[in-house]
Amino acid sequence: MARGRAAGRPYLLFGVVGVLAGLPWYLWPAIYYKVAFPDAANAAGRAATIRPDGLYYLRYLWDFESGLVWLGLLGPLVALRQLRRGKSLSLELYLASWGWCLLAGMSLLIKAPRGLLWGYGIWYALAFLQLRRLPAVPMVVLVLGAVGLNLHRIQQQIYAYSPSSYPAVAAWLQAHQAGPVVSTVGLGLAPFQRPSDSVRAVVSSRALPALRQRGYQYVLLDSYWRVTNVAAFDTLQRQPVVAAWHEPLLTSPLLFLEHSEFTGLGYEATLARQQAARRDSVQLRLIRL
């Protein structure tokens, strides 16, 4: 909902300006409709930005986030019993209402866990409002335990996937004087390739014959196509491989989940694709065009 509100404000503002300038009033709602329901699907086949799913973010918080978030998210429910007609909302319930509305609104749209960044500040503030009711020692123990769990998860879910094989791919291409190279969807190779603009990303194997005529000798079957669910490289997967590398980042569950916004897939379907990528022995395959 936060993303919806943030995206909606420019339309509301410029809609009013447009009406005052003499433009038809229905122009801006029509544009907003086209944003929600585009004329054509993207490369992953996603054709809409509306995808109701009340469990996606809750499952994400359960699997990847600190328990303090749950304390901030659910703790204020107890305060609902204290509501009385004519009585103003407490700070706790005021903040909680923003957090609940944000989560509910985001659950209607295509999903991207980074959208929760709008709510973390609210939920952690609410969590500490709950914790301050405890004696000092238990509160410190809980906070330190939560920080320790977060550090463990950062190591497990981020740093464990950080070693990269893209520099090795670039070194191989340079050693073999390969020249410009095609990459399937992803541009992870570009920062390590000299010059970086010699990497050309494609979203379909239909573009390969024309690129071969333009001097491209190799295509990197980059498993980023799995992350983005662009399933247009069946023929390439059957081609002989001249070199291959393992790329941990392309098996990261967080990377897959962050691309739910592009793919339009739900939580289970996204992690099913991540598990398939993890079972693959290598994620970077170099093929001669």
Side-chain angles (χ1 to χ4, degrees), residues 29-53:
I31 293 175
Y32 214 177
Y33 177 84
K34 284 299 182 183
V35 171
F37 303 99
D39 292 330
N42 66 9
R46 177 181 63 77
T49 60
I50 307 298
R51 194 187 191 286
D53 185 349

Side-chain angles (χ1 to χ4, degrees), residues 252-266:
S252 165
L254 288 179
L255 181 68
F256 274 81
L257 289 169
E258 281 295 344
H259 283 76
S260 295
E261 185 176 25
F262 183 80
T263 65
L265 297 176

Side-chain angles (χ1 to χ4, degrees), residues 24 26 47 60 77 95 97 100 109 129 146 156-157 171 191 211 228 234 254-255 258 268 272 274 276 278-279 282:
Y26 53 80
Y60 173 83
L77 290 174
L95 290 176
S97 64
W100 294 333
L109 306 174
L129 286 175
Q156 189 180 47
Q157 301 294 345
L211 291 171
T228 56
D234 292 341
L254 288 179
L255 181 68
E258 281 295 344
E268 289 185 1
Q274 181 265 331
R278 191 171 186 175
R279 289 191 295 269
V282 292

Side-chain angles (χ1 to χ4, degrees), residues 55-243:
L55 295 178
Y56 183 102
Y57 288 114
L58 297 179
R59 295 186 64 178
Y60 173 83
L61 291 172
W62 181 264
D63 289 340
F64 296 100
E65 195 46 69
S66 167
L68 290 181
V69 166
W70 288 97
L71 182 60
L73 188 61
L74 301 179
L77 290 174
V78 178
L80 287 175
R81 297 179 303 180
Q82 303 171 4
L83 282 178
R84 297 289 186 274
R85 181 174 296 180
K87 185 178 179 180
S88 60
L89 281 179
S90 64
L91 173 63
E92 184 178 346
L93 281 177
Y94 176 76
L95 290 176
S97 64
W98 277 94
W100 294 333
C101 288
L102 181 145
L103 190 61
M106 287 178 54
S107 295
L108 299 176
L109 306 174
I110 50 177
K111 309 299 182 290
R114 63 184 176 275
L116 293 175
L117 292 172
W118 293 96
Y120 282 138
I122 295 175
W123 296 324
Y124 277 110
L126 288 168
F128 281 102
L129 286 175
Q130 304 290 324
L131 287 173
R132 70 177 183 175
R133 299 188 176 101
L134 296 176
V137 173
M139 182 181 71
V140 171
V141 170
L142 283 174
V143 170
L144 292 179
V147 170
L149 178 60
N150 269 12
L151 291 175
H152 171 70
R153 284 182 166 170
I154 289 171
Q155 172 60 40
Q156 189 180 47
Q157 301 294 345
I158 297 177
Y159 290 116
Y161 296 95
S162 59
S164 178
S165 294
Y166 283 114
V169 179
W172 191 99
L173 292 168
Q174 185 176 5
H176 291 78
Q177 299 180 342
V181 63
V182 185
S183 178
T184 54
V185 185
L187 286 172
L189 176 62
F192 308 99
Q193 181 78 344
R194 297 181 181 178
S196 60
D197 60 1
S198 64
V199 181
R200 173 73 176 269
V202 296
V203 295
S204 171
S205 57
R206 292 193 299 268
L208 297 180
L211 291 171
R212 181 170 59 245
Q213 293 178 358
R214 292 172 53 184
Y216 287 80
Q217 302 178 50
Y218 293 94
V219 55
L220 179 66
L221 184 57
D222 188 318
S223 287
Y224 191 66
W225 69 268
R226 285 188 188 273
V227 179
T228 56
N229 196 29
V230 179
F233 302 101
D234 292 341
T235 56
L236 275 182
Q237 294 180 67
R238 297 190 291 268
Q239 298 298 316
V241 176
V242 297

